[in-house]
Amino acid sequence: MSRTVFCVLLNKEADGLDFQLYPGELGKRIFDNISKEAWAQWQHKQTMLINEKKLNMMDPEHRKLLETEMEGFLFDGKDVVIDGYTPPSE
């Protein structure tokens, strides 16, 4: 049986994450307030950021940038902006 959370990104009740995916207090906050669907949206944005900005996850500054972007996306409603990227039109 899956657990539900009130997802602050989607602003609705949704399936919660199965376990804490990120360490520390931020990880606990994500586990308690972010749904699987919202986390999947973040993973897509995260992949774009890593690839387009050529981030090195061994570099502490790059990890901090990614964490800042993650917090802004998940909790503050800030979309990820990548210079030169234009989303496909439908």
Side-chain angles (χ1 to χ4, degrees):
M1 179 180 235
S2 63
R3 58 188 272 283
T4 60
V5 296
F6 183 81
C7 180
V8 295
L9 179 65
L10 303 177
N11 202 27
K12 67 178 184 178
E13 288 286 328
D15 286 344
L17 297 167
D18 294 326
F19 51 90
Q20 186 173 324
L21 297 169
Y22 200 81
E25 287 299 315
L26 179 56
K28 175 82 171 114
R29 188 172 167 209
I30 291 167
F31 182 71
D32 291 340
N33 299 290
I34 298 298
S35 67
K36 286 181 181 180
E37 181 183 350
W39 184 255
Q41 289 178 16
W42 163 247
Q43 287 182 308
H44 177 74
K45 299 288 188 175
Q46 173 181 258
T47 301
M48 289 175 60
L49 272 171
I50 292 169
N51 290 338
E52 296 300 322
K53 293 189 179 244
K54 297 178 178 28
L55 300 180
N56 175 359
M57 293 298 90
M58 297 299 288
D59 185 329
E61 287 182 28
H62 289 190
R63 287 195 312 267
K64 183 63 182 163
L65 169 73
L66 200 60
E67 184 177 282
T68 301
E69 291 284 345
M70 176 176 65
E71 226 174 333
F73 179 80
L74 293 174
F75 296 106
D76 300 332
K78 296 179 183 172
D79 198 11
V80 174
V81 176
I82 299 172
D83 296 334
Y85 173 75
T86 305
S89 59
E90 298 196 32

